[in-house]
């Protein structure tokens, strides 16, 4: 096929290869990525698209010396406010409803689709969204209790406070232990770490609303 057209290989959730070894020696993920580089940049036989929802893993990949000079990185983000509004207007939502939905859900496509799909069943939109935010808070609390040390729980609260106040947490000068705790929350997909901007946000707007509830009860 590659003689006439270049195939596109799509590898989703590649982080599942992490921690696996070939004959107990070579790390499978490194060998596979080296193969991808050879397939694309050296032999020019195919294009390879690699995806991952684990932002800490993405950071590791992004900082790999060989991949950094041979690959392009793209952040697949939520919808913008303009796109979200256009979609909701098309579905018949009013201006005040769209503002409320954006405040709670942002541009997260699955959540927006759920609101649209359940619209006829939702009697009170504010109550529906408050319940969604409380579920996000409950999930955060579930993970927060897993940390035995109060110091580790306070690190998350500090991160959450900065996200609520500024819209992001800057990781430029954080210490190793804080980065470790942050990584744990990113792996649980509560936090989203962007290696391009070195900033942390909620994985979606609903988790940020959950953080607001958490801080209000402190």
């Amino acid at each position: 096929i590659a003689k006439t057209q270049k195939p596109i290989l799509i590898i989703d959730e590649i982080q599942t290869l992490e921690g696996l070894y070939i004959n107990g020696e070579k790390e499978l993920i490194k060998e596979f990525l080296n193969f991808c580089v050879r397939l694309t940049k050296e032999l020019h036989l195919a294009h390879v698209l690699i995806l991952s929802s684990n932002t800490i893993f993405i950071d590791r990949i992004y900082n790999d010396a060989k991949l950094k000079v041979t690959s392009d990185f793209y952040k697949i983000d939520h919808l913008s406010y303009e796109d979200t509004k256009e979609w909701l207007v098309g579905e018949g939502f009013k201006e005040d409803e769209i503002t409320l939905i954006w405040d709670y859900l942002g541009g997260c496509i699955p959540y927006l689709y759920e609101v649209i799909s359940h619209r006829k069943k939702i009697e009170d939109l504010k109550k529906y969204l408050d319940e969604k935010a409380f579920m996000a808070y409950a999930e955060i609390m579930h993970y927060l209790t897993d940390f035995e040390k109060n110091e580790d729980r306070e690190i998350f609260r500090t991160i959450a406070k900065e996200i609520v106040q500024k819209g992001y947490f800057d990781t430029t000068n954080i210490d190793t232990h804080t980065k470790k705790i942050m990584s744990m929350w990113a792996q649980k997909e509560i936090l989203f770490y962007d290696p391009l901007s070195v900033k942390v946000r909620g994985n979606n707007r609903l988790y940020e609303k959950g953080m607001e509830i958490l801080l209000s009860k402190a």
Side-chain angles (χ1 to χ4, degrees):
I1 295 174
K3 291 180 180 179
T4 56
Q5 54 187 310
K6 287 187 179 180
I8 300 174
L9 306 181
I10 302 175
I11 315 298
D12 195 14
E13 299 297 355
I14 193 176
Q15 75 276 3
T16 56
L17 298 182
E18 193 171 25
L20 300 179
Y21 291 84
I22 303 172
N23 299 324
E25 297 179 359
K26 295 182 179 179
E27 194 173 6
L28 179 58
I29 185 68
K30 287 186 177 180
E31 294 301 309
F32 178 74
L33 292 174
N34 286 336
F35 167 72
C36 290
V37 171
R38 178 161 174 74
L39 198 63
T40 57
K41 296 298 181 180
E42 296 175 11
L43 299 177
H44 306 288
L45 294 177
H47 299 291
V48 178
L49 181 62
I50 295 173
L51 300 99
S52 174
S53 60
N54 186 320
T55 54
I56 297 303
F57 178 80
I58 293 171
D59 180 51
R60 176 189 165 190
I61 295 299
Y62 176 71
N63 287 297
D64 181 284
K66 182 176 288 187
L67 289 180
K68 204 161 189 175
V69 296
T70 59
S71 309
D72 293 318
F73 287 79
Y74 298 95
K75 176 183 175 183
I76 304 175
D77 208 348
H78 301 299
L79 296 180
S80 66
Y81 174 74
E82 289 73 21
D83 289 337
T84 300
K85 183 177 180 179
E86 183 180 351
W87 186 11
L88 294 177
V89 166
E91 296 293 338
F93 284 87
K94 299 176 182 177
E95 188 75 31
D96 59 331
E97 293 176 323
I98 294 172
T99 300
L100 191 62
I101 291 170
W102 175 259
D103 180 45
Y104 277 77
L105 306 181
C108 184
I109 293 175
Y111 291 151
L112 294 173
Y113 182 76
E114 186 176 351
V115 170
I116 293 169
S117 301
H118 296 167
R119 188 182 183 188
K120 293 181 179 179
K121 300 178 182 179
I122 300 173
E123 297 179 2
D124 186 328
L125 181 60
K126 178 68 163 60
K127 182 179 178 182
Y128 169 85
L129 294 171
D130 280 335
E131 289 174 352
K132 287 286 185 182
F134 190 84
M135 289 174 64
Y137 159 73
E139 185 179 353
I140 290 171
M141 285 301 299
H142 171 74
Y143 289 127
L144 202 59
T145 55
D146 288 343
F147 292 92
E148 297 180 358
K149 296 181 180 180
N150 186 59
E151 174 193 355
D152 295 342
R153 292 192 290 270
E154 286 303 314
I155 287 175
F156 177 76
R157 289 180 184 274
T158 299
I159 294 172
K161 185 177 181 180
E162 194 162 326
I163 290 174
V164 169
Q165 290 179 344
K166 297 170 54 179
Y168 63 89
F169 174 75
D170 192 339
T171 67
T172 305
N173 297 312
I174 62 172
D175 58 69
T176 304
H177 186 63
T178 299
K179 187 171 184 178
K180 180 181 177 182
I181 298 301
M182 181 200 76
S183 299
M184 291 179 182
W185 286 95
Q187 288 168 5
K188 297 177 189 298
E189 297 187 18
I190 302 293
L191 296 178
F192 177 87
Y193 174 67
D194 185 350
L196 298 176
S197 67
V198 297
K199 292 177 180 177
V200 171
R201 295 178 173 84
N203 197 48
N204 57 58
R205 175 61 182 155
L206 202 55
Y207 282 125
E208 293 178 357
K209 296 297 286 188
M211 292 177 204
E212 289 180 12
I213 299 174
L214 174 70
L215 296 173
S216 71
K217 294 179 179 294

